Amino acid sequence: KNDFKTTSAVTKGRANKIEKVEVDNKVEVDIYGGKASDASETLPPVVDKLLINEVLPNPEGSDDAEWVELFWGGDVPLDLTGFSLDDKEGGSKPFVISNLVIEPNGYVVLKRETTKLAFNNDTDEVRLFDKAREIVDEIEYEEGAEGLAYARGADGVWGWTEQLTPGQENILEVKNLSVKYDDQYVL
């Protein structure tokens, strides 16, 4: 009941199977509906299909537990080799993805220990670039509380949520941040 683990094996309707995929000098990357890549092919269109889907910029405790989740809504597997993830211009050094394929309707969770990206707790950007260094997707967040994820809703609207869902469909619950927002709900 309370012993959840991350896995790269999608087991909808079957018993869970816990798997980890190691890439780039044995650095762990959590892959949900994907696999490690061994070849590059022609890219399908990615704009509005490869999305930054959820970000944990200010985890409870150490900021070393930060992560970014990507979602691929395309019809064919997508080789992410050469794509990069970055924060606001002039912030951390961009992280270039290598040896990673994401399957259709799959998720990839990139952890800070892998990306070395350090997000600001108060306000920052998360930017995803293609191989030609063109922006594929970007989001900006402000004033997140510790332990909340910034997540894209099914309607494309972003909001803060206590329900962290790395590698899964997001659950957006209205979070009352009354200390900072005069009892207003943030979505």
Side-chain angles (χ1 to χ4, degrees):
K1 177 177 168 181
N2 292 320
D3 61 344
F4 289 92
K5 302 278 186 201
T6 55
T7 182
S8 63
V10 178
T11 58
K12 188 173 183 178
R14 301 181 312 231
N16 293 331
K17 182 178 177 184
I18 307 301
E19 292 182 356
K20 290 278 188 182
V21 175
E22 295 183 6
V23 297
D24 282 343
N25 299 321
K26 305 215 181 266
V27 174
E28 283 188 1
V29 176
D30 291 333
I31 303 172
Y32 305 83
K35 61 186 176 191
S37 164
D38 57 5
S40 290
E41 296 181 11
T42 304
L43 285 179
V46 295
V47 175
D48 296 328
K49 292 182 181 181
L50 180 60
L51 304 170
I52 300 166
N53 198 55
E54 186 173 2
V55 180
L56 182 62
N58 188 8
E60 289 184 10
S62 170
D63 281 352
D64 290 340
E66 294 176 346
W67 49 262
V68 175
E69 174 190 75
L70 304 179
F71 172 76
W72 170 234
D75 297 331
V76 297
L78 176 65
D79 187 347
L80 294 174
T81 300
F83 282 69
S84 60
L85 196 61
D86 201 0
D87 62 350
K88 192 172 192 169
E89 184 69 37
S92 302
K93 179 181 175 185
F95 169 71
V96 179
I97 301 170
S98 65
N99 195 32
L100 185 61
V101 170
I102 187 169
E103 296 295 322
N105 298 310
Y107 299 88
V108 172
V109 177
L110 299 165
K111 297 177 181 179
R112 181 178 180 174
E113 67 189 52
T114 300
T115 67
K116 307 300 184 226
L117 294 174
F119 298 111
N120 297 330
N121 294 342
D122 55 353
T123 183
D124 209 341
E125 293 178 18
V126 182
R127 303 178 300 155
L128 177 63
F129 297 90
D130 65 13
K131 295 175 184 189
R133 192 82 175 129
E134 298 292 327
I135 290 184
V136 173
D137 195 20
E138 63 184 327
I139 60 108
E140 183 175 353
Y141 62 85
E142 293 180 356
E143 301 299 329
E146 185 176 64
L148 298 183
Y150 196 51
R152 181 186 304 267
D155 57 2
V157 175
W158 285 82
W160 292 103
T161 180
E162 290 180 318
Q163 297 293 317
L164 308 181
T165 57
Q168 303 172 35
E169 186 174 332
N170 295 336
I171 300 170
L172 282 182
E173 292 181 353
V174 176
K175 175 61 184 162
N176 183 351
L177 298 176
S178 58
V179 174
K180 293 187 178 185
Y181 293 100
D182 299 324
D183 295 322
Q184 296 296 312
Y185 290 94
V186 175
L187 266 185

